[in-house]
């Protein structure tokens, strides 16, 4: 078939877009026939190369790129600079470039060398024009991102801010294409940091929650998380159970049992278990050990993947007893260093609430005292924990009343700190609605 022997049909922008691909195929056939309508707006050698390239089979297009990549790229760039008003032609050109430069690094480097100063501004311009097929916006965004990320510098950081800020607003990018574009930022440490600062992790978590069983979105989203896991600034986000990145990766592994998902997931887990005890805790708390056992009993073929799964599993097993113990909570509380770890979750409180009766509710008294401290995170976690204690203990409300803890939580509900305020208000809801959702 025609689509199997042309570069542009391989563009990721056509993933699960069969109807759109058929439309573009038809439009492109028409634009090939009418190339001369553009007259002097493009050079003769551009037209000649365009006809030669577009009429060639895929294997011949690849040979032409091997022997004359400069000529092919000059042709494609000349058309971008001079014929942007031809919408079918732009659809063909941009998806062709996307497919070529995504195929291998050598061709991408050659494309970078062929660029002229006018090209990137033209490509950015596409994102704010109307009336093009959606693949034009997505291919343009992906090409721009690859170029700017490769070149780096302040322009690259500004593009990260613009792109993240424009998703779902001015930029016409579908959910399926957000992460295939963003992963090109995340290959560069400084841009990965800017991605985090710009709220990119929120976009990742939203995609995983919205599309829990979509293979394409899950793969690129977890690939993005794996790339982020090389960046020190990301570890605190993986550590946070309220964001739930580790939980969502584990859920994706359970729901989509495909090796490509397993590879990026366990590559990410492997990075995290080497640098963060809290990430190990979250993996244990979210049942990754059971997932590991099931996978190793399965029929996996990839030895590197099997080695990664075994490596992660061995570390989780070594830490499991320590991480699930009540003593860990006591140690945290006595050190007055409360973190959003697995001992500050519904599961922990449901299983351990009776232990807090010891020594006339001594640990609850210590939590109540923390409400008067100056450490914002300690206060926020203490508010959350006291709410959970009231929720699961039959006399929790009475105990908190006796300790005057409810009044202290009410004070914290007026805090200037958003984290404290939100957790205090949530705690008050649990106190007022005793046995809430038990």
């Amino acid at each position: 078939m025609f689509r199997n022997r042309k570069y542009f049909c391989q563009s990721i922008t056509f993933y699960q877009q069969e109807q759109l691909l058929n439309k573009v195929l038809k439009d492109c056939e028409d634009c090939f026939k009418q190339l001369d309508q553009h007259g002097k707006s493009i050079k003769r050698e551009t037209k000649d190369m365009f006809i030669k390239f577009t009429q060639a089979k895929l294997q011949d297009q690849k040979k032409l790129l091997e022997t004359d990549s400069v000529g092919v790229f000059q042709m494609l760039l000349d058309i971008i600079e001079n014929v942007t008003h031809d919408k079918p032609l732009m659809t063909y050109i941009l998806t062709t470039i996307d497919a070529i430069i995504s195929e291998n690094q050598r061709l991408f480097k050659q494309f970078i060398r062929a660029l002229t100063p006018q090209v990137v501004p033209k490509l950015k311009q596409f994102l704010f024009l109307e009336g093009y097929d959606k693949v034009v916006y997505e291919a343009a965004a992906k090409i721009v991102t690859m170029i700017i990320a490769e070149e780096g510098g302040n322009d690259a950081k500004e593009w990260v801010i613009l792109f993240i800020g424009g998703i779902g607003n001015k930029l016409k990018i579908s959910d399926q294409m957000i992460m295939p574009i963003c992963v090109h930022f995340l290959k560069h440490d400084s841009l990965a940091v800017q991605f985090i600062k710009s709220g990119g992790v929120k976009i990742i978590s939203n995609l995983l929650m919205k599309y829990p069983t979509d293979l394409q979105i899950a793969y690129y989203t977890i690939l993005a998380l794996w790339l982020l896991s090389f960046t020190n600034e990301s570890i605190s986000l993986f550590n946070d159970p309220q964001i739930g990145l580790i939980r969502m990766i584990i859920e994706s592994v359970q729901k989509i049992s495909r090796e490509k998902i397993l590879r990026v997931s366990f590559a990410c887990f492997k990075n995290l278990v080497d640098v963060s005890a809290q990430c190990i805790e979250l993996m244990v708390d979210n049942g990754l050990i059971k997932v590991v056992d099931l996978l190793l009993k399965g029929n996996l073929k990839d030895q590197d993947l099997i080695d990664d799964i075994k490596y992660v599993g061995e570390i989780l097993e070594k830490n499991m007893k320590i991480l699930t113990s009540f003593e860990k909570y006591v140690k945290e509380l006595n050190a007055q260093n409360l973190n959003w770890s697995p001992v500050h979750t519904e599961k922990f409180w449901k299983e351990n609430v009776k232990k807090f009766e010891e020594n006339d509710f001594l640990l609850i008294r210590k939590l109540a005292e923390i409400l008067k401290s100056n450490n914002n995170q300690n206060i926020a976690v203490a508010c959350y924990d006291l709410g959970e204690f009231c929720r699961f203990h039959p006399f929790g409300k009475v105990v908190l009343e006796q300790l005057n803890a409810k009044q202290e939580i009410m004070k914290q509900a007026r805090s200037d700190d958003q984290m404290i305020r939100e957790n205090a208000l949530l705690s008050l809801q649990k106190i007022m609605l005793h046995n809430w959702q038990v």
Side-chain angles (χ1 to χ4, degrees):
M1 290 177 63
F2 179 69
R3 75 184 62 184
N4 292 327
R5 53 187 181 89
K6 302 294 177 183
Y7 249 118
F8 80 102
C9 301
Q10 300 182 157
S11 170
I12 193 175
T13 59
F14 289 118
Y15 177 76
Q16 291 186 339
Q17 300 289 331
E18 190 73 17
Q19 188 174 355
L20 179 57
L21 178 57
N22 289 332
K23 175 182 180 297
V24 174
L25 282 164
K26 183 178 183 303
D27 290 344
C28 286
E29 288 172 357
D30 292 338
C31 84
F32 301 155
K33 298 171 187 174
Q34 299 169 22
L35 187 64
D36 283 335
Q37 287 183 354
H38 298 295
K40 295 181 180 179
S41 58
I42 53 176
K43 296 177 285 192
R44 181 72 257 171
E45 54 265 38
T46 296
K47 294 180 182 178
D48 292 342
M49 177 59 80
F50 180 84
I51 293 169
K52 182 178 181 180
F53 185 80
T54 55
Q55 290 183 349
K57 296 179 180 179
L58 178 58
Q59 61 185 27
D60 294 324
Q61 288 180 329
K62 291 186 176 186
K63 288 179 182 177
L64 190 55
L65 280 163
E66 288 177 8
T67 58
D68 191 12
S69 62
V70 173
V72 174
F73 287 139
Q74 284 179 345
M75 173 269 292
L76 295 168
L77 295 171
D78 187 35
I79 293 174
I80 287 177
E81 289 183 40
N82 296 292
V83 200
T84 55
H85 58 280
D86 188 323
K87 294 174 182 177
L89 184 57
M90 285 302 101
T91 304
Y92 172 82
I93 293 294
L94 293 179
T95 53
T96 295
I97 292 174
D98 171 45
I100 291 172
I101 65 176
S102 298
E103 186 172 55
N104 64 60
Q105 190 67 8
R106 179 182 59 81
L107 288 172
F108 176 52
K109 294 286 189 184
Q110 291 174 348
F111 178 72
I112 291 286
R113 288 196 290 271
L115 287 174
T116 58
Q118 297 80 18
V119 172
V120 172
K122 282 276 188 183
L123 290 170
K124 286 183 179 179
Q125 179 185 340
F126 278 112
L127 298 170
F128 302 97
L129 299 176
E130 298 293 338
Y132 292 83
D133 285 316
K134 64 186 285 296
V135 296
V136 170
Y137 306 119
E138 294 173 346
K142 186 161 175 279
I143 297 164
V144 167
T145 298
M146 291 179 71
I147 294 169
I148 295 179
E150 181 70 17
E151 294 176 343
N154 288 330
D155 286 348
K157 291 183 179 180
E158 289 173 7
W159 177 245
V160 174
I161 295 168
L162 174 65
F163 185 82
I164 297 300
I167 290 173
N169 186 12
K170 292 181 181 179
L171 301 182
K172 307 167 184 69
I173 310 298
S174 67
D175 288 351
Q176 283 71 23
M177 278 300 297
I178 292 172
M179 281 304 120
I181 293 171
C182 286
V183 292
H184 296 287
F185 301 142
L186 306 180
K187 296 174 183 177
H188 307 269
D189 192 63
S190 63
L191 300 187
V193 173
Q194 186 60 62
F195 176 86
I196 293 168
K197 290 179 179 177
S198 301
V201 172
K202 181 65 175 175
I203 293 169
I204 286 177
S205 61
N206 286 344
L207 286 170
L208 282 174
M209 284 188 287
K210 188 176 179 182
Y211 303 97
T213 58
D214 187 295
L215 175 62
Q216 171 87 346
I217 290 178
Y219 173 73
Y220 276 99
T221 305
I222 299 172
L223 175 63
L225 289 172
W226 170 61
L227 291 169
L228 280 175
S229 70
F230 289 95
T231 305
N232 291 335
E233 286 79 358
S234 73
I235 303 305
S236 62
L237 301 172
F238 283 105
N239 284 343
D240 191 336
Q242 292 193 322
I243 297 175
L245 295 178
I246 287 176
R247 172 181 53 78
M248 286 187 278
I249 298 174
I250 293 171
E251 287 175 355
S252 292
V253 168
Q254 291 172 310
K255 291 174 181 175
I256 312 172
S257 56
R258 298 284 289 273
E259 284 205 4
K260 65 187 294 184
I261 297 292
L262 295 177
R263 286 189 197 98
V264 290
S265 297
F266 277 89
C268 184
F269 292 148
K270 186 178 179 182
N271 281 356
L272 295 174
V273 297
D274 284 341
V275 297
S276 172
Q278 286 176 262
C279 284
I280 296 173
E281 295 176 19
L282 288 170
M283 292 176 202
V284 170
D285 196 58
N286 286 281
L288 186 56
I289 289 178
K290 184 177 180 181
V291 174
V292 166
D293 289 341
L294 290 172
L295 289 173
L296 292 178
K297 291 174 184 175
N299 193 30
L300 297 174
K301 305 295 185 186
D302 185 332
Q303 189 57 48
D304 289 337
L305 171 59
I306 294 170
D307 290 343
D308 282 353
I309 294 172
K310 286 181 177 178
Y311 180 83
V312 171
E314 287 169 2
I315 290 178
L316 298 186
E317 288 286 354
K318 287 177 185 177
N319 288 272
M320 184 173 64
K321 283 188 178 181
I322 300 169
L323 300 174
T324 55
S325 68
F326 177 69
E327 285 74 18
K328 179 169 183 357
Y329 186 94
V330 175
K331 184 178 178 181
E332 238 185 69
L333 183 55
N334 287 337
Q336 294 198 11
N337 183 26
L338 304 181
N339 297 298
W340 291 113
S341 60
V343 295
H344 305 284
T345 59
E346 174 185 307
K347 182 177 183 290
F348 172 84
W349 279 98
K350 197 170 185 178
E351 292 175 353
N352 294 282
V353 71
K354 285 289 187 178
K355 295 178 183 177
F356 286 82
E357 296 175 355
E358 296 174 6
N359 299 319
D360 194 23
F361 296 98
L362 176 61
L363 297 178
I364 299 301
R365 293 173 187 275
K366 289 184 177 183
L367 276 175
E369 285 299 314
I370 283 177
L371 296 175
K372 301 173 186 177
S373 71
N374 296 319
N375 184 305
N376 287 358
Q377 177 159 296
N378 277 351
I379 296 170
V381 177
C383 285
Y384 174 84
D385 282 356
L386 289 169
E388 289 295 271
F389 169 72
C390 185
R391 180 182 170 197
F392 289 109
H393 195 281
F395 304 112
K397 187 173 183 179
V398 174
V399 174
L400 296 190
E401 291 280 5
Q402 291 174 346
L403 296 175
N404 204 32
K406 177 182 173 184
Q407 285 71 20
E408 288 296 329
I409 294 171
M410 290 175 72
K411 290 180 185 178
Q412 298 299 345
R414 297 189 291 274
S415 171
D416 292 333
D417 185 274
Q418 183 180 353
M419 180 173 61
I420 292 176
R421 192 167 61 249
E422 288 177 355
N423 281 282
L425 289 170
L426 180 60
S427 183
L428 286 173
Q429 289 176 20
K430 296 172 186 176
I431 293 169
M432 303 298 282
L433 301 172
H434 189 41
N435 291 333
W436 176 66
Q437 291 186 2
V438 174

